[in-house]
Each structure stands twice: as C-alpha cells, then as structure tokens.
Amino acid sequence: MATIKEVADKAGVSVGTVSHVITGSVPVSELLRQRVDDAIRVLDYHPNHVARSLKTSRTHTLGIIVPDMTISFYPQIIRGAETGARAKGYSLVAVNSLESPERQGELLSILRSQQVEGILIVVAESGTSGSQMERLESAGIPVVCLDRVPERITVDSVSVEDVAAAEMGTDHLLAMGYRRIAIVTGSLALRNERRRLQGYEQSLRRAGLVPSEDLIWQGNLRSEDLASMCRDRLSDPETRPDALICTNGPTALGALRGMYQCGLRTPDDLGFVTFDELTVDDLFSPAITTIVQPAYDIGFRASEILLDLIHNKGARHGVTNLRLPATLKVRESSRRNLRLVRPAEVVPLRASS
Amino acid sequence: MATIKEVADKAGVSVGTVSHVITGSVPVSELLRQRVDDAIRVLDYHPNHVARSLKTSRTHTLGIIVPDMTISFYPQIIRGAETGARAKGYSLVAVNSLESPERQGELLSILRSQQVEGILIVVAESGTSGSQMERLESAGIPVVCLDRVPERITVDSVSVEDVAAAEMGTDHLLAMGYRRIAIVTGSLALRNERRRLQGYEQSLRRAGLVPSEDLIWQGNLRSEDLASMCRDRLSDPETRPDALICTNGPTALGALRGMYQCGLRTPDDLGFVTFDELTVDDLFSPAITTIVQPAYDIGFRASEILLDLIHNKGARHGVTNLRLPATLKVRESSRRNLRLVRPAEVVPLRASS
DNA sequence: CTGTTAGCGCCTTCAA
DNA sequence: TTGAAGGCGCTAACAG
C-alpha cells in the first residue's frame, strides 16, 4: 500500500502538496497537480482513511444495529440509511444484535471503539438498558432509534405511526363486516407493540365495540410459540374470532401456521390483516392484506436526522420523534365475499409527526 | 472520549502500563491492573480502534459487497460471513453495489481506503473488470468471490454446486413425469447461470431427451421483463412446455407473474421448480418446489477462507474454489397428481469441492 | 514488572 | 503557491 510520501517522492513534491491536491483545501498549480495525479494513478494510491481519521478525528462512518437483517423489514431500513449516509459521504456499518441485550452491548462498544460518528439502532426486544445509550450521548455520539422507541423519551427516533396504522387495519376489517376481531401481538414490553394494540382498541371503540381481554393475544417473535398459541385459541368454534390482525411479520407467520394446523383458511374461515409484507405482491394465495411500513424511508430519514445531529453538536433544539404513515394494501385475506375480488388497492394514511 | 493518557493519569501509571493491561501482551501486577481497570470504568474509556489500527496496520475489518441486500439470499450470506468474522475478532462492513460496476468500483475503492484486510464480493452482473480485483490482490488485499464466480479462475470462490443443483431440479421434474421442460435463466453472461443451464441439459440428455433451443429462455434479473417474456412464450398452447425450471429467485417471480397473466397455474398447467426460496415454507400456495442454496454457509465458509488468506499471506497453495451442495425441497408445484400430496421432503445432494 | 519513546500516515497550521 | 513539522491515540520495543 503506497503512502502519501511515496506519491510525493514520485511526483517530486512534498507530502504537503500531495495532501493539498487530495483534499482540495489549498490551491495547487496545474503543473504540480498533474504530476501528483499521475503519481497517484501509477502507484494505485488510496488515501489511508485510518490515518486521516486519526488526524481529523472524523471517521465519516455511521453504525446501524438491527435485530436480524435476515428479516426483510431490516434490509430495507439499512438500504435507506446507507443511501442517506452515502449522499453525505458517510459509510455505514450494519450489525445484528439477534435480540440479545448482551450482544447489543458488545456491538455498541465495538462501534464506539471504531469511532463511528453516530448510531442508528433498533433496540433489542428486552432489557435494553438506557444507561448504555446515555453513556453514548454523553460521549458525544448521537443516537437515533428506529422502529422500536424506548420508553425514555429523551432519544430521537423514527418509526411508523403505530396507532394510526393499527387503527387503519382494524377499521378495514370492520368495514369488511368482521366483528369479532382478535389481535396477535409480539411482546407488549415493546412500546410500539402496545401502541399498535392501542390503535386496535381505539378503532373498535369508535365502532361501538368493546375490546375484550380474551381477544388480545400476546406472543413473542418466535413463530413456533405463536403457532401453538393460535392453535389453542382457535380450536374452539364457539369462542373463535372471525378475523385476526397481527402486529408484525414473524407473529403473522406463526398465526397463519397455527390457523392452518386447525384446518382453518383465510379469508373463508377468518379475515386476516398484518403489519409487514409476508410474500411478494399477490403472486401467492392467500394474498394477505398488509399494513406496509415505509421501511426504506424510515432508514433514510433516520440517517438524515443522525447526520444533522452530528453536524450540529450541542445546538439541538429538543427531541425529534418522527412518525411516518403506513399504507394499507388490501388483498384477498380480508375479503369476506370472494365474489368481490378486485385488483389490490392502496390506501395511503395521513401523515403526522 | 477519554484517551489512554487520561486513564493513565487517573490510575497513576504510565500509558505503557495501561496499554499492557488492555492488550494483555505484557504481565502487569495485580494492584496496578486493578487501578487501571477502575480508571477505565470510571472514565467509560473505549480504546480508539482507529489509532490502534494506524499503529498496528491491522484494522480487523472485512468488507462484503453484495448486489442488493434487500434480496433475501444476500442477508443470509452476510449473516454467515459476519458470524465467521466475529468468531475471529473481525468486523464486517456490508455494502450494496446495486449491480452497478461503477458503484462497485467506488465501493472497492472506499473499502481499500478504509483499510479492510480482505473483501468478500458477489460481483455485479455485468462488466466487472478483473483489473480492479487484480489491483486489490497486488495491494495485498485478498478477495473471495461468492455465488457468482468470475471467468478468470485465479480468484478464490465459494458458491453452490450449480451444475449438480440444476441437474437435481431437472431430474426431479423428469421423475415426476414432465417431459417438455423449459429453463428460465438470468443473463447467461453470468457463469453460474451458464452452469445451471448446463446441469439442466445434462439431466435431459441422461434421460434421453434432446435440449431444445426454444426451451432455453434467457432473461435478466428484472421481474417485469421476465414476465412479459414468459407471457409471450406461454401463450401458444401448441408449443407450451409442461414444466419450468428457474435459475434464481427474481427470475422465478417474473416467470410466475407471466404464467398468471396467461391464466396458467402450477402445478395444474405447468410444473414449476426454482432456485431460491420465494416464500416462507409452504404457508402459501402454490408451495413452490425449491432448490435451496446454503446461503449462510456460503458466507460463513467464505469468511473462513478469507481470514485464512489474510493470516497466511504469501503462503497460499493454489486457488480454493469451494462448491457447496444444494438441497431440494419438494413441494406442490412439481406434483403432477395432486392426490399424491405428502409433507415436504428434503433431499440432500452429495457434496463436491 | 513498569515507564519512556518513536513512529504508524495523514492533515494543517505556519513560514518561506 | 509550496514545504516543513507537529501531533492525533496507540502499541511495541527498549531501558530501567
């Protein structure tokens, strides 16, 4: 790996001059610039970002921690964040916490050591100690939370408008004539899960229905657990709901599996709506009516906010909690009457912030 | 951000001693070690990885470039590589080339600047110049290609056993009684696409059939193009094949869409097999018979090979071209007679290297 | 065992 | 417009 010194020697100038042409911070005569450029090309010189970072104490690197980028929601977020970062000359380091608070702690520590200038994070499901994030902040490393917003309100965040999104899904089921609607959630320790539940309840109440405890099915993010829970609760035709709304993808897959194991189908036996796309468009049946989160945008906007925080250290005016609207893709799984089948329609939701 | 010096001052020792306890390279008395540890904790000190890298010229960082981590095959590879890397104390920087050779070039350049110690890459579809990768090698940065292996054979690689995998899929269709089998491929400029085609042809020949030009449908990775191509070719009932085998996921989605637009269904009208999972298990119908690539393992093994290359600079004994076996998940789309429905079975394929 | 010190490669005043 | 030189934070000899 050639160094700036070798380039300077080959071009017959000082390292200072080479640095000037690279950074463009100081004007250099056409002649020398040419000589330097040639030397760079010949030597296949690539500035040592590590040395530069040490000198300038700016790494131009952001970190992003997601639970598991194997879940399709997250790569979209990462892509959005990567795009936003690159637009400002930043790189993005993406890592997986696997929902483990310990691992998340390690990763945070590693990212700090790597001197990332800011961190985007979808916090691990349980036991994310605020203390670690507070230490980050006090070390001058801004943090923006995505998707899942921790209880303490002092951190910036970007997520979907959970309440309205769940309301929209529930409203839709009600409009289709379903009345006994159960909600299947992940852990209600997660604030956004609670908010989605809240949207569901609001929708029911507005329709004059009373949310019932035994139609609120709290699970976790593991498909198998969900499946067996749903199997149990769906087995009795007497108490069985006429529709299900799921608050996230893994939950929905578990619920569907449970349904199938009971020999039930959607939409014939049960209406079905879920957050997050389970399949590609409607190539497969049953095509599931879906509350689509703007994942890419969440990542993109979050990176913008983070970059802003980085460049305006100290001058922050309050906390930013951006909420983006979800979109409802109506498909077969919520159609009571199959005769009414039409092409999927998209219903945008009003924005809020 | 506290520095090693501040820790030394607070602990009342020299920076050397602090460094010794951190790296563990030199023994330190229990007393001082304790004092240092305390100081580290109190100051919330995190060693500056950038400075360390500059000094040791080892960043403990690997780069991985994939076309688009929004396609489910790639996050799995990345996860595997991340696991392999972390096991050896390495971090992984994952970036997307979006199939653009220019962008890929930039990314390679950025990764070099960032001093990654090695690079994993799924090369962009077209125009990946060998020269850039050769420059990497000559700069002492080892490269391992995943999934898509460039023509020039001098680079290490890990991918699926393409020929055998395609053969397996085709054999299966033949065994199910299909005879007029068309293959839908991505760009045949990609070597692995050609190898899959080759496996298909071998299988046919062994069955005493002659591969026919008009049953080899070359497309690209864009679903829309694929859909219209398939629509055209499927419209005439006279020349229509009785089964389709697709060499990758995006291609398969396009083909399915084209089929649907013709009003055709699988398996009723056409048998269907594809590389790569399109949906989650068989919750959705038609459940597609799939040739599953060991994506996680590909990433994991590749990272091991890369790390090995890094640690044995110069001492390389020939090129490693690891081929991992695929697995066939038989589902509904390849069942001629629906009466025969049984639970999905998994047929492992013999390994090779 | 502990402390001292010379750089790693680069950027950035500061002088010339 | 160009060159010289001081460090950024850390590790790895080396000296004590």
Side-chain angles (χ1 to χ4, degrees):
Chain A
M1 291 292 255
T3 71
I4 200 174
K5 177 142 196 336
E6 298 175 48
V7 174
D9 290 349
K10 164 140 296 195
V13 300
S14 73
V15 294
T17 302
V18 176
S19 179
H20 296 156
V21 348
I22 291 172
T23 63
S25 55
V26 174
V28 175
S29 69
E30 186 53 39
L31 173 66
L32 291 195
R33 168 195 310 291
Q34 192 56 54
R35 296 230 303 270
V36 169
D37 282 342
D38 287 347
I40 287 178
R41 193 159 333 102
V42 171
L43 295 175
D44 191 25
Y45 169 72
H46 289 247
N48 186 324
H49 183 78
V50 171
R52 178 182 298 182
S53 295
L54 182 58
K55 176 62 190 178
T56 62
S57 54
R58 315 226 41 200
T59 55
H60 288 273
T61 301
L62 265 29
I64 181 168
I65 302 180
V66 298
D68 180 356
M69 67 179 186
T70 259
I71 295 170
S72 78
F73 181 54
Y74 298 117
Q76 298 179 55
I77 289 186
I78 297 174
R79 277 280 312 279
E82 187 192 24
T83 303
R86 193 166 305 289
K88 294 275 198 309
Y90 275 69
S91 295
L92 189 65
V93 177
V95 292
N96 302 286
S97 69
L98 304 180
E99 301 284 10
S100 151
E102 295 76 37
R103 192 181 165 81
Q104 174 177 289
E106 282 172 37
L107 292 173
L108 247 13
S109 180
I110 291 173
L111 290 178
R112 263 187 81 161
S113 273
Q114 289 178 160
Q115 313 292 115
V116 297
E117 294 183 32
I119 294 177
L120 300 173
I121 181 171
V122 178
V123 295
E125 189 174 3
S126 62
T128 293
S129 76
S131 87
Q132 192 154 26
M133 295 201 336
E134 265 150 16
R135 268 158 40 212
L136 279 175
E137 301 271 15
S138 70
I141 303 176
V143 174
V144 175
C145 287
L146 314 191
D147 186 37
R148 302 174 187 168
V149 184
E151 304 297 323
R152 54 192 212 90
I153 194 63
T154 52
V155 68
D156 296 80
S157 67
V158 180
S159 67
V160 78
E161 178 41 273
D162 290 303
V163 180
E167 238 181 299
M168 174 170 60
T170 313
D171 283 352
H172 168 69
L173 283 171
L174 290 168
M176 298 307 279
Y178 296 99
R179 280 295 170 274
R180 197 170 152 69
I181 304 170
I183 183 167
V184 188
T185 72
S187 163
L188 289 176
L190 252 26
R191 200 239 279 285
N192 59 347
E193 292 288 334
R194 289 204 304 281
R195 291 173 62 97
R196 290 170 192 186
L197 172 57
Q198 184 187 336
Y200 156 86
E201 293 177 332
Q202 280 181 20
S203 168
L204 289 189
R205 288 215 186 80
R206 234 195 2 250
L209 298 173
V210 182
S212 144
E213 268 306 320
D214 59 295
L215 289 181
I216 298 174
W217 302 354
Q218 181 183 181
N220 50 40
L221 294 178
R222 307 191 359 166
S223 264
E224 314 80 59
D225 296 352
L226 256 301
S228 77
M229 178 180 85
C230 290
R231 207 176 334 112
D232 293 348
R233 310 242 196 175
L234 289 171
S235 56
D236 182 357
E238 293 302 309
T239 61
R240 186 186 299 155
D242 61 4
L244 252 39
I245 178 168
C246 300
T247 55
N248 63 66
T251 290
L253 289 172
L256 273 180
R257 188 161 289 129
M259 257 178 60
Y260 281 26
Q261 289 168 355
C262 293
L264 300 173
R265 300 276 143 181
T266 175
D268 313 77
D269 306 301
L270 278 172
F272 198 93
V273 168
T274 181
F275 274 72
D276 303 347
E277 294 280 16
L278 266 27
T279 62
V280 184
D281 296 345
D282 22 21
L283 279 176
F284 300 92
S285 69
I288 304 289
T289 295
T290 306
I291 300 163
V292 182
Q293 301 187 56
Y296 182 93
D297 286 341
I298 289 177
F300 186 84
R301 301 294 296 272
S303 72
E304 287 187 327
I305 292 173
L306 184 61
L307 257 0
D308 193 62
L309 248 29
I310 290 170
H311 294 128
N312 302 314
K313 285 269 173 61
R316 61 143 68 234
H317 21 279
V319 179
T320 306
N321 290 107
L322 184 60
R323 296 283 168 273
L324 300 177
T327 286
L328 184 67
K329 280 197 116 124
V330 176
R331 302 208 185 91
E332 289 174 23
S333 70
S334 58
R335 297 219 173 84
R336 282 222 115 169
N337 185 341
L338 282 179
R339 307 260 164 62
L340 293 178
V341 172
R342 288 158 306 173
E345 23 173 320
V346 174
V347 182
L349 175 65
R350 70 193 173 288
S352 86
S353 93
Chain B
M1 290 293 252
T3 70
I4 199 173
K5 179 141 196 335
E6 297 174 48
V7 174
D9 289 349
K10 165 141 292 195
V13 300
S14 72
V15 294
T17 302
V18 176
S19 178
H20 296 156
V21 350
I22 291 172
T23 63
S25 56
V26 174
V28 174
S29 70
E30 186 53 39
L31 174 66
L32 291 196
R33 168 196 312 291
Q34 192 57 55
R35 296 230 304 268
V36 169
D37 281 341
D38 287 348
I40 287 178
R41 194 160 330 103
V42 171
L43 295 175
D44 191 25
Y45 169 72
H46 289 247
N48 185 325
H49 186 252
V50 171
R52 178 181 295 178
S53 295
L54 181 58
K55 175 64 190 175
T56 62
S57 53
R58 314 226 43 199
T59 55
H60 288 271
T61 301
L62 265 29
I64 181 168
I65 303 179
V66 299
D68 180 356
M69 67 178 187
T70 261
I71 295 170
S72 77
F73 181 54
Y74 298 117
Q76 298 179 56
I77 288 186
I78 297 174
R79 278 280 311 280
E82 187 191 24
T83 304
R86 194 167 305 291
K88 295 275 196 309
Y90 276 69
S91 295
L92 189 64
V93 178
V95 292
N96 302 285
S97 70
L98 305 181
E99 300 285 12
S100 151
E102 295 75 39
R103 192 182 167 80
Q104 174 177 288
E106 281 172 38
L107 292 172
L108 247 13
S109 180
I110 290 174
L111 290 177
R112 265 188 79 161
S113 274
Q114 289 177 161
Q115 313 294 114
V116 297
E117 293 183 32
I119 294 177
L120 299 172
I121 183 171
V122 178
V123 296
E125 188 174 4
S126 62
T128 293
S129 76
S131 86
Q132 192 153 26
M133 293 199 341
E134 265 150 16
R135 268 159 40 212
L136 280 174
E137 302 271 13
S138 70
I141 303 176
V143 174
V144 175
C145 288
L146 314 191
D147 186 37
R148 301 175 187 168
V149 184
E151 303 297 322
R152 51 191 215 92
I153 196 62
T154 52
V155 67
D156 295 80
S157 67
V158 180
S159 67
V160 78
E161 179 42 272
D162 290 303
V163 180
E167 238 181 300
M168 174 170 60
T170 313
D171 283 352
H172 169 70
L173 283 171
L174 290 168
M176 297 308 278
Y178 296 100
R179 281 296 169 274
R180 196 170 154 69
I181 304 171
I183 183 167
V184 188
T185 73
S187 163
L188 290 176
L190 252 25
R191 200 240 279 287
N192 58 348
E193 292 289 332
R194 288 204 306 280
R195 292 173 62 97
R196 290 170 192 186
L197 173 57
Q198 183 187 337
Y200 156 86
E201 292 177 333
Q202 281 181 18
S203 169
L204 290 189
R205 288 213 185 81
R206 236 198 358 257
L209 298 175
V210 182
S212 144
E213 269 305 321
D214 58 294
L215 288 180
I216 299 174
W217 302 355
Q218 181 183 179
N220 51 40
L221 294 177
R222 306 190 359 165
S223 265
E224 315 80 58
D225 296 352
L226 256 302
S228 76
M229 179 179 85
C230 290
R231 207 176 336 112
D232 292 349
R233 311 241 195 176
L234 289 170
S235 55
D236 182 358
E238 292 303 310
T239 61
R240 187 186 298 153
D242 61 5
L244 252 38
I245 178 167
C246 301
T247 54
N248 63 66
T251 289
L253 289 172
L256 274 179
R257 188 160 291 130
M259 257 177 61
Y260 281 26
Q261 289 168 355
C262 293
L264 300 173
R265 301 276 143 182
T266 175
D268 313 78
D269 305 302
L270 277 172
F272 198 93
V273 169
T274 181
F275 274 71
D276 303 346
E277 294 279 18
L278 265 26
T279 62
V280 183
D281 295 345
D282 22 22
L283 280 177
F284 300 92
S285 70
I288 304 288
T289 294
T290 306
I291 299 164
V292 182
Q293 301 185 57
Y296 182 93
D297 286 341
I298 289 177
F300 186 85
R301 300 295 296 273
S303 71
E304 288 186 327
I305 292 174
L306 185 60
L307 256 2
D308 192 62
L309 249 27
I310 290 170
H311 295 128
N312 302 314
K313 284 270 173 59
R316 61 143 71 234
H317 20 280
V319 177
T320 306
N321 289 107
L322 184 61
R323 296 282 167 273
L324 299 176
T327 286
L328 184 68
K329 282 198 115 126
V330 176
R331 303 209 185 89
E332 290 174 21
S333 69
S334 58
R335 296 218 173 85
R336 281 221 118 168
N337 185 341
L338 282 178
R339 308 261 162 62
L340 294 177
V341 172
R342 290 158 303 173
E345 21 173 322
V346 174
V347 182
L349 175 65
R350 70 193 174 285
S352 86
S353 93

